[in-house]
Amino acid sequence: MTAVSEARSTGRLLLIAGVIKDMASRPSGLIGMSLVAFHVLIAILSPWIVPYDYKAVSVELMFNPPSGNHIFGTDHLGRDVFTRTLMGGREALVVTGFATPLAVIWGGFIGILLGLVGGRIDEVLMRIVDAFLSLPWILKMLVLIVTFGTGLEVLIPTLAFFYGIPVIRIARAATLDVVARDFISSARARGHSRLAIVRRELLPNVLDVMLVEGAMRWSWMLLAFSSLSFLGFGVSPPTPDWGLMIADARGYMAFAPWFVLAPIIALSSLIIGINLAADALAKALGIDRSQKAPQ
Amino acid sequence: MDGKQLFEIRDLSIGFTGNAGQTLPVLRNVDFTVSGGETVGIVGESGSGKSTLALAAMGYLKHGLRVLGGSAKFKGRNTFEMTTRELEDIRGGEMAMIPQNSGQSLTPTMRVGKQLREALRLHTDLPESSYQDRMVELLTQVRLPEPENILKRFPHELSGGQQQRVAISMALAGEAEALLLDEPTTGLDVTTQAHILELLRDLASETGTAMVYVSHDLGAIARVSDRVVVMYAGEVVLEGNARNVLLSPTHPYARGLLSSIPSLKDSRLPAALEGRPPAPGAAGNGCSFVDRCAIAQPECMSVRPDLIQTPEGESVRCPFYAKVPDLAATEQTVEMARADGSATDAIRLDRLSIDYAKKSFLDQLLRRNNGSVPTVEEITLRIEKGETVGLVGESGSGKSTILKSIAGLLEPSSGKIQLGEQEPLAELVDKRPMTHRRQIQLIFQNPDESLNPRHTVEEIIAQPLRLYFNCSAEELRKRSIDLLERVRLSSHYLTRLPSQLSGGEKQRVAIARAFAAEPELILCDEVTSALDVSVQAAVLNLLNQLKRERGTTYIFVSHDLAVVRCLSDRVAVLYQGRLCELGESASVYSLPSHPYTEVLLGAVLEPDPEAVPEILADDVVELSPPERGCPFQRRCPRKVGSICDTETPPWQVGAGSHAIRCHIPLEELYQCQNGGKSADR
């Protein structure tokens, strides 16, 4: 039995609590959620807890290895790496935090619609989606960013747009899956309106898939955002950002490894955390079919 | 029987770890032996552990299961102590397995010949040059026509029965000493099933192979087994020779199970076995069957009974087995509620035809007919109020298609459907007025599919109530509880989700949902075929009682002729979307019959080791009906001649309203079908 069924039997309000409880009961969920919560907390609180000013440059402190004063050492401009690592996820989390729900909403909407409408429109649009997906994402992104600039007001819609396209496929597939089932036929035979069928019978079954998909997309988007920063299209210096820090530190990897390691560890731990949490979420919602109990 | 023990399972317990970390047993202290040349049937309902036992005999455990104690030996070697390599050597060679759905177990991208060749290479020492001969020999052994041709085909080019035969031939390739068959005929049509079972019987006697036959179907078990093991809640509750177990069962569960099977010979409803088996780990200290047992004694609650040897040589896990034969007198089977003959029509189908074949784009453009024959052709049927009409036929006979088009889910290509004296129904449900929608309700085969997994029982039942009746929240609740009570479920089920219900309970909820609309006509599409036999009897009884209370009209579709008999006033037999025979149940199930009905009835298996099915026709699957003549012309055992190929046979009306569509005169049919056999059908 999944968490959903347990929670739903006692009332709608407990649904979320039930899912989170189920996720926390799995090792992957507990580790994943802790990592994500830790990162979000740091991102919010970092301006008040960092020991130094993130943009304080100092010639004397260049490339200092980790020490009591600077536990992650200092960078090529003598800035405190610990401070910058703590603050380096803020932009990324804000951008992806807005872009992910946007991507899931628009992609999901179009996908469900195509799954329901079917026919020629569906076929034509899906071929366009396929064609779009076959192009390397970075190329498409760069074209847009070069055209419109790199501010948050451009990055959020751009990421939301690009990451919404694969969501179309997932939402459409999930819709087709549910539409073929007998409870939809049953509702149709009873004579419910189309809107009622979509709202009551279809959406509850598709939304779970979308939720998990959203969580997975979030981690992909974080990577994409960091890659853009790495290439110099994301955050502009001196704002601390992991992608940018990795780009800066790349040249000094041989003699100042702390400089490159700190942002890498921070970024990967967040992405691993999201992936583990998404995995546990899928299992808690009963989407992962390979994990059925024996019998 | 050479008496040498092949499988020897002693005191085996298998279980898994539950969510709370507790150990939940699936098999409990099972002893099971199979000697060379013997066929043993393992029978039980879903969740009884029968497949787990069969797989354990092969040294295989499903994911998450582990051995809690005991041993499983194959030819003296403990299979759970063997290495993977050693097991691989044995499997497919000394022992082989034939799974339920062989269509899925054959590799879809490899020709049959290549797959068989692989089996030979792995499990025999034959030289490569003799493979071809051996493959032909194997396919001939499983009675496949034109073996050379079959070798060149891909699995999807074979019918379900042919695929199952290929799977059997692969199992035979290694000259296995033991074959494990896990529900090998479930999901096949009755005639195909009868053919496969005859084949297995013949193979067992020809090759002397031991067989372990796992099934929920007592009829199939009766046909092939020497010895039968009855499983319940992970335990062996009864073991003995097939005759004794099936004809005079000594365990109360086996007895209940057998009496819950509807019989062709009996028009009464079978007695339901109420309750459900305990979930793994839920069985108390006492007997696992105690909650459902009619002869339970106080000590049954606290003491787990041991297997007792009876004087007849059976082992039974019930100390009061001597009382079981007396149970027969106390049990009651219910007489079916019959229509009162008020003679007003509930529904009329007038020359209804349905065409599944989609016209190609080009055909549409040129507005031409692509020459396809309709899937369902010119069905004319009048059903009285309160009557139950059974539609029977093999898969592909168009039974469900007809229901869907009555429900307005499928557009007929021609013909009319009329509800009572009203105007003809609009073809699709969207165009029908709300009153028409309410009057027709559909119950589906599999409640897992037809109930939204995200809705509680309350929400499920509220859907039709909200849609058709303007109920207040209070009334909604009252009516939901009332409906649940009518399907014998208590009000605390309202907050449950489908995943928290058993199969039978789910189907009851689906029935309650259909009745919530207070319909005139209920369409039942194979409503019991996804359920266990004991649950099936309960659902049939429920439908019967509701019919008695409400006077509802049913159209009851099933492939199971015995199920149709016990619930229907009239029966319509369909072949390839065409009606073959129509009449009162009693007359359809007696003589004379349409040759197709004769074939179907002959292939039905009864849970009686002495009943021999009559196999009258091939189990060839026809993909489309012939363009002219009788639809059954290609398989008919009584084909008269070219007239069958060219002319559509006329309806011949016999006694009552019993009509048969055949070129052979009724008297002649009666004579040739009566010849050499008793008329006790």
PDB file of all heavy atoms in Angstrom, chain B residues 645-669:
ATOM      1  N   ASP B 645     -20.570 -22.782 -47.363  1.00  0.00           N
ATOM      2  CA  ASP B 645     -19.598 -21.761 -47.762  1.00  0.00           C
ATOM      3  C   ASP B 645     -20.259 -20.604 -48.499  1.00  0.00           C
ATOM      4  O   ASP B 645     -19.715 -19.509 -48.559  1.00  0.00           O
ATOM      5  CB  ASP B 645     -18.545 -22.366 -48.703  1.00  0.00           C
ATOM      6  CG  ASP B 645     -17.758 -23.446 -48.015  1.00  0.00           C
ATOM      7  OD1 ASP B 645     -17.659 -23.387 -46.776  1.00  0.00           O
ATOM      8  OD2 ASP B 645     -17.258 -24.344 -48.705  1.00  0.00           O
ATOM      9  N   THR B 646     -21.415 -20.877 -49.076  1.00  0.00           N
ATOM     10  CA  THR B 646     -21.979 -19.856 -49.958  1.00  0.00           C
ATOM     11  C   THR B 646     -23.220 -19.192 -49.383  1.00  0.00           C
ATOM     12  O   THR B 646     -23.445 -18.008 -49.631  1.00  0.00           O
ATOM     13  CB  THR B 646     -22.337 -20.464 -51.323  1.00  0.00           C
ATOM     14  OG1 THR B 646     -23.137 -21.626 -51.073  1.00  0.00           O
ATOM     15  CG2 THR B 646     -21.096 -20.856 -52.091  1.00  0.00           C
ATOM     16  N   GLU B 647     -24.012 -19.922 -48.634  1.00  0.00           N
ATOM     17  CA  GLU B 647     -25.271 -19.342 -48.192  1.00  0.00           C
ATOM     18  C   GLU B 647     -25.320 -19.153 -46.685  1.00  0.00           C
ATOM     19  O   GLU B 647     -24.942 -20.044 -45.935  1.00  0.00           O
ATOM     20  CB  GLU B 647     -26.439 -20.252 -48.608  1.00  0.00           C
ATOM     21  CG  GLU B 647     -26.917 -19.945 -49.996  1.00  0.00           C
ATOM     22  CD  GLU B 647     -28.014 -20.913 -50.397  1.00  0.00           C
ATOM     23  OE1 GLU B 647     -28.978 -21.059 -49.621  1.00  0.00           O
ATOM     24  OE2 GLU B 647     -27.881 -21.521 -51.477  1.00  0.00           O
ATOM     25  N   THR B 648     -25.791 -17.989 -46.282  1.00  0.00           N
ATOM     26  CA  THR B 648     -25.970 -17.749 -44.862  1.00  0.00           C
ATOM     27  C   THR B 648     -27.077 -18.675 -44.366  1.00  0.00           C
ATOM     28  O   THR B 648     -28.162 -18.701 -44.953  1.00  0.00           O
ATOM     29  CB  THR B 648     -26.379 -16.289 -44.631  1.00  0.00           C
ATOM     30  OG1 THR B 648     -25.469 -15.466 -45.346  1.00  0.00           O
ATOM     31  CG2 THR B 648     -26.336 -15.940 -43.165  1.00  0.00           C
ATOM     32  N   PRO B 649     -26.801 -19.446 -43.329  1.00  0.00           N
ATOM     33  CA  PRO B 649     -27.817 -20.406 -42.879  1.00  0.00           C
ATOM     34  C   PRO B 649     -29.053 -19.699 -42.331  1.00  0.00           C
ATOM     35  O   PRO B 649     -28.962 -18.595 -41.802  1.00  0.00           O
ATOM     36  CB  PRO B 649     -27.110 -21.205 -41.787  1.00  0.00           C
ATOM     37  CG  PRO B 649     -25.860 -20.491 -41.490  1.00  0.00           C
ATOM     38  CD  PRO B 649     -25.562 -19.552 -42.587  1.00  0.00           C
ATOM     39  N   PRO B 650     -30.215 -20.338 -42.487  1.00  0.00           N
ATOM     40  CA  PRO B 650     -31.472 -19.732 -42.022  1.00  0.00           C
ATOM     41  C   PRO B 650     -31.673 -19.974 -40.533  1.00  0.00           C
ATOM     42  O   PRO B 650     -31.068 -20.878 -39.949  1.00  0.00           O
ATOM     43  CB  PRO B 650     -32.517 -20.492 -42.818  1.00  0.00           C
ATOM     44  CG  PRO B 650     -31.902 -21.852 -43.017  1.00  0.00           C
ATOM     45  CD  PRO B 650     -30.419 -21.653 -43.102  1.00  0.00           C
ATOM     46  N   TRP B 651     -32.484 -19.145 -39.906  1.00  0.00           N
ATOM     47  CA  TRP B 651     -32.877 -19.397 -38.520  1.00  0.00           C
ATOM     48  C   TRP B 651     -33.909 -20.519 -38.513  1.00  0.00           C
ATOM     49  O   TRP B 651     -34.895 -20.459 -39.218  1.00  0.00           O
ATOM     50  CB  TRP B 651     -33.510 -18.158 -37.903  1.00  0.00           C
ATOM     51  CG  TRP B 651     -32.524 -17.151 -37.430  1.00  0.00           C
ATOM     52  CD1 TRP B 651     -32.262 -15.945 -37.997  1.00  0.00           C
ATOM     53  CD2 TRP B 651     -31.690 -17.254 -36.284  1.00  0.00           C
ATOM     54  NE1 TRP B 651     -31.296 -15.292 -37.277  1.00  0.00           N
ATOM     55  CE2 TRP B 651     -30.928 -16.070 -36.218  1.00  0.00           C
ATOM     56  CE3 TRP B 651     -31.495 -18.222 -35.311  1.00  0.00           C
ATOM     57  CZ2 TRP B 651     -29.986 -15.836 -35.218  1.00  0.00           C
ATOM     58  CZ3 TRP B 651     -30.565 -17.994 -34.314  1.00  0.00           C
ATOM     59  CH2 TRP B 651     -29.819 -16.814 -34.265  1.00  0.00           C
ATOM     60  N   GLN B 652     -33.683 -21.539 -37.708  1.00  0.00           N
ATOM     61  CA  GLN B 652     -34.675 -22.593 -37.561  1.00  0.00           C
ATOM     62  C   GLN B 652     -35.191 -22.524 -36.141  1.00  0.00           C
ATOM     63  O   GLN B 652     -34.424 -22.620 -35.200  1.00  0.00           O
ATOM     64  CB  GLN B 652     -34.050 -23.955 -37.773  1.00  0.00           C
ATOM     65  CG  GLN B 652     -33.332 -24.090 -39.100  1.00  0.00           C
ATOM     66  CD  GLN B 652     -32.871 -25.511 -39.283  1.00  0.00           C
ATOM     67  OE1 GLN B 652     -33.666 -26.419 -39.453  1.00  0.00           O
ATOM     68  NE2 GLN B 652     -31.566 -25.704 -39.202  1.00  0.00           N
ATOM     69  N   VAL B 653     -36.486 -22.329 -36.005  1.00  0.00           N
ATOM     70  CA  VAL B 653     -37.043 -22.184 -34.670  1.00  0.00           C
ATOM     71  C   VAL B 653     -37.633 -23.500 -34.210  1.00  0.00           C
ATOM     72  O   VAL B 653     -38.449 -24.100 -34.895  1.00  0.00           O
ATOM     73  CB  VAL B 653     -38.105 -21.065 -34.638  1.00  0.00           C
ATOM     74  CG1 VAL B 653     -38.593 -20.848 -33.220  1.00  0.00           C
ATOM     75  CG2 VAL B 653     -37.516 -19.793 -35.212  1.00  0.00           C
ATOM     76  N   GLY B 654     -37.159 -23.957 -33.058  1.00  0.00           N
ATOM     77  CA  GLY B 654     -37.644 -25.222 -32.512  1.00  0.00           C
ATOM     78  C   GLY B 654     -38.602 -24.977 -31.371  1.00  0.00           C
ATOM     79  O   GLY B 654     -39.316 -23.979 -31.342  1.00  0.00           O
ATOM     80  N   ALA B 655     -38.599 -25.893 -30.416  1.00  0.00           N
ATOM     81  CA  ALA B 655     -39.503 -25.810 -29.272  1.00  0.00           C
ATOM     82  C   ALA B 655     -39.277 -24.497 -28.527  1.00  0.00           C
ATOM     83  O   ALA B 655     -38.155 -24.040 -28.393  1.00  0.00           O
ATOM     84  CB  ALA B 655     -39.262 -26.988 -28.345  1.00  0.00           C
ATOM     85  N   GLY B 656     -40.356 -23.907 -28.037  1.00  0.00           N
ATOM     86  CA  GLY B 656     -40.262 -22.623 -27.350  1.00  0.00           C
ATOM     87  C   GLY B 656     -39.805 -21.575 -28.355  1.00  0.00           C
ATOM     88  O   GLY B 656     -40.302 -21.519 -29.475  1.00  0.00           O
ATOM     89  N   SER B 657     -38.840 -20.799 -27.986  1.00  0.00           N
ATOM     90  CA  SER B 657     -38.321 -19.830 -28.947  1.00  0.00           C
ATOM     91  C   SER B 657     -36.878 -20.180 -29.305  1.00  0.00           C
ATOM     92  O   SER B 657     -36.111 -19.341 -29.720  1.00  0.00           O
ATOM     93  CB  SER B 657     -38.401 -18.425 -28.349  1.00  0.00           C
ATOM     94  OG  SER B 657     -37.663 -18.419 -27.142  1.00  0.00           O
ATOM     95  N   HIS B 658     -36.506 -21.416 -29.085  1.00  0.00           N
ATOM     96  CA  HIS B 658     -35.134 -21.847 -29.321  1.00  0.00           C
ATOM     97  C   HIS B 658     -34.817 -21.820 -30.818  1.00  0.00           C
ATOM     98  O   HIS B 658     -35.373 -22.589 -31.592  1.00  0.00           O
ATOM     99  CB  HIS B 658     -34.964 -23.265 -28.751  1.00  0.00           C
ATOM    100  CG  HIS B 658     -33.556 -23.753 -28.816  1.00  0.00           C
ATOM    101  ND1 HIS B 658     -33.227 -25.069 -28.648  1.00  0.00           N
ATOM    102  CD2 HIS B 658     -32.395 -23.107 -29.020  1.00  0.00           C
ATOM    103  CE1 HIS B 658     -31.911 -25.207 -28.757  1.00  0.00           C
ATOM    104  NE2 HIS B 658     -31.382 -24.030 -28.973  1.00  0.00           N
ATOM    105  N   ALA B 659     -33.904 -20.929 -31.199  1.00  0.00           N
ATOM    106  CA  ALA B 659     -33.601 -20.781 -32.617  1.00  0.00           C
ATOM    107  C   ALA B 659     -32.145 -21.121 -32.898  1.00  0.00           C
ATOM    108  O   ALA B 659     -31.258 -20.735 -32.143  1.00  0.00           O
ATOM    109  CB  ALA B 659     -33.899 -19.359 -33.062  1.00  0.00           C
ATOM    110  N   ILE B 660     -31.922 -21.871 -33.969  1.00  0.00           N
ATOM    111  CA  ILE B 660     -30.573 -22.264 -34.352  1.00  0.00           C
ATOM    112  C   ILE B 660     -30.358 -21.866 -35.801  1.00  0.00           C
ATOM    113  O   ILE B 660     -31.228 -22.088 -36.652  1.00  0.00           O
ATOM    114  CB  ILE B 660     -30.383 -23.787 -34.166  1.00  0.00           C
ATOM    115  CG1 ILE B 660     -30.438 -24.131 -32.681  1.00  0.00           C
ATOM    116  CG2 ILE B 660     -29.071 -24.252 -34.776  1.00  0.00           C
ATOM    117  CD1 ILE B 660     -30.396 -25.605 -32.402  1.00  0.00           C
ATOM    118  N   ARG B 661     -29.189 -21.292 -36.043  1.00  0.00           N
ATOM    119  CA  ARG B 661     -28.915 -20.840 -37.398  1.00  0.00           C
ATOM    120  C   ARG B 661     -27.981 -21.833 -38.078  1.00  0.00           C
ATOM    121  O   ARG B 661     -26.765 -21.744 -37.934  1.00  0.00           O
ATOM    122  CB  ARG B 661     -28.256 -19.476 -37.321  1.00  0.00           C
ATOM    123  CG  ARG B 661     -28.405 -18.674 -38.559  1.00  0.00           C
ATOM    124  CD  ARG B 661     -27.879 -17.295 -38.310  1.00  0.00           C
ATOM    125  NE  ARG B 661     -28.340 -16.385 -39.334  1.00  0.00           N
ATOM    126  CZ  ARG B 661     -28.038 -15.102 -39.358  1.00  0.00           C
ATOM    127  NH1 ARG B 661     -27.300 -14.599 -38.385  1.00  0.00           N
ATOM    128  NH2 ARG B 661     -28.475 -14.333 -40.324  1.00  0.00           N
ATOM    129  N   CYS B 662     -28.569 -22.817 -38.769  1.00  0.00           N
ATOM    130  CA  CYS B 662     -27.757 -23.870 -39.365  1.00  0.00           C
ATOM    131  C   CYS B 662     -28.499 -24.457 -40.551  1.00  0.00           C
ATOM    132  O   CYS B 662     -29.725 -24.401 -40.621  1.00  0.00           O
ATOM    133  CB  CYS B 662     -27.489 -24.960 -38.322  1.00  0.00           C
ATOM    134  SG  CYS B 662     -26.319 -26.202 -38.873  1.00  0.00           S
ATOM    135  N   HIS B 663     -27.725 -24.993 -41.488  1.00  0.00           N
ATOM    136  CA  HIS B 663     -28.361 -25.608 -42.659  1.00  0.00           C
ATOM    137  C   HIS B 663     -28.910 -26.986 -42.345  1.00  0.00           C
ATOM    138  O   HIS B 663     -29.768 -27.490 -43.054  1.00  0.00           O
ATOM    139  CB  HIS B 663     -27.352 -25.720 -43.812  1.00  0.00           C
ATOM    140  CG  HIS B 663     -27.052 -24.412 -44.454  1.00  0.00           C
ATOM    141  ND1 HIS B 663     -27.999 -23.679 -45.105  1.00  0.00           N
ATOM    142  CD2 HIS B 663     -25.905 -23.690 -44.513  1.00  0.00           C
ATOM    143  CE1 HIS B 663     -27.464 -22.566 -45.562  1.00  0.00           C
ATOM    144  NE2 HIS B 663     -26.194 -22.536 -45.204  1.00  0.00           N
ATOM    145  N   ILE B 664     -28.399 -27.618 -41.312  1.00  0.00           N
ATOM    146  CA  ILE B 664     -28.853 -28.965 -40.963  1.00  0.00           C
ATOM    147  C   ILE B 664     -30.212 -28.849 -40.276  1.00  0.00           C
ATOM    148  O   ILE B 664     -30.366 -28.056 -39.348  1.00  0.00           O
ATOM    149  CB  ILE B 664     -27.858 -29.661 -40.019  1.00  0.00           C
ATOM    150  CG1 ILE B 664     -26.448 -29.569 -40.611  1.00  0.00           C
ATOM    151  CG2 ILE B 664     -28.254 -31.094 -39.753  1.00  0.00           C
ATOM    152  CD1 ILE B 664     -25.361 -30.033 -39.679  1.00  0.00           C
ATOM    153  N   PRO B 665     -31.190 -29.617 -40.721  1.00  0.00           N
ATOM    154  CA  PRO B 665     -32.503 -29.558 -40.057  1.00  0.00           C
ATOM    155  C   PRO B 665     -32.377 -29.942 -38.588  1.00  0.00           C
ATOM    156  O   PRO B 665     -31.527 -30.753 -38.214  1.00  0.00           O
ATOM    157  CB  PRO B 665     -33.340 -30.590 -40.821  1.00  0.00           C
ATOM    158  CG  PRO B 665     -32.627 -30.805 -42.103  1.00  0.00           C
ATOM    159  CD  PRO B 665     -31.179 -30.528 -41.864  1.00  0.00           C
ATOM    160  N   LEU B 666     -33.269 -29.369 -37.767  1.00  0.00           N
ATOM    161  CA  LEU B 666     -33.172 -29.561 -36.328  1.00  0.00           C
ATOM    162  C   LEU B 666     -33.246 -31.031 -35.918  1.00  0.00           C
ATOM    163  O   LEU B 666     -32.494 -31.485 -35.065  1.00  0.00           O
ATOM    164  CB  LEU B 666     -34.273 -28.772 -35.612  1.00  0.00           C
ATOM    165  CG  LEU B 666     -34.146 -27.249 -35.676  1.00  0.00           C
ATOM    166  CD1 LEU B 666     -35.288 -26.600 -34.914  1.00  0.00           C
ATOM    167  CD2 LEU B 666     -32.817 -26.782 -35.112  1.00  0.00           C
ATOM    168  N   GLU B 667     -34.149 -31.789 -36.575  1.00  0.00           N
ATOM    169  CA  GLU B 667     -34.300 -33.199 -36.185  1.00  0.00           C
ATOM    170  C   GLU B 667     -33.001 -33.947 -36.426  1.00  0.00           C
ATOM    171  O   GLU B 667     -32.575 -34.779 -35.631  1.00  0.00           O
ATOM    172  CB  GLU B 667     -35.421 -33.892 -36.976  1.00  0.00           C
ATOM    173  CG  GLU B 667     -36.799 -33.303 -36.801  1.00  0.00           C
ATOM    174  CD  GLU B 667     -37.010 -32.089 -37.682  1.00  0.00           C
ATOM    175  OE1 GLU B 667     -36.894 -32.210 -38.909  1.00  0.00           O
ATOM    176  OE2 GLU B 667     -37.243 -30.985 -37.134  1.00  0.00           O
ATOM    177  N   GLU B 668     -32.377 -33.608 -37.553  1.00  0.00           N
ATOM    178  CA  GLU B 668     -31.130 -34.285 -37.904  1.00  0.00           C
ATOM    179  C   GLU B 668     -30.028 -33.929 -36.905  1.00  0.00           C
ATOM    180  O   GLU B 668     -29.280 -34.793 -36.453  1.00  0.00           O
ATOM    181  CB  GLU B 668     -30.724 -33.859 -39.308  1.00  0.00           C
ATOM    182  CG  GLU B 668     -29.967 -34.924 -40.067  1.00  0.00           C
ATOM    183  CD  GLU B 668     -29.711 -34.461 -41.494  1.00  0.00           C
ATOM    184  OE1 GLU B 668     -30.694 -34.240 -42.235  1.00  0.00           O
ATOM    185  OE2 GLU B 668     -28.534 -34.314 -41.844  1.00  0.00           O
ATOM    186  N   LEU B 669     -29.987 -32.631 -36.541  1.00  0.00           N
ATOM    187  CA  LEU B 669     -29.013 -32.195 -35.538  1.00  0.00           C
ATOM    188  C   LEU B 669     -29.223 -32.958 -34.239  1.00  0.00           C
ATOM    189  O   LEU B 669     -28.286 -33.439 -33.611  1.00  0.00           O
ATOM    190  CB  LEU B 669     -29.178 -30.693 -35.256  1.00  0.00           C
ATOM    191  CG  LEU B 669     -28.280 -29.709 -35.983  1.00  0.00           C
ATOM    192  CD1 LEU B 669     -28.601 -28.295 -35.521  1.00  0.00           C
ATOM    193  CD2 LEU B 669     -26.803 -30.013 -35.744  1.00  0.00           C
TER     194      LEU B 669
END
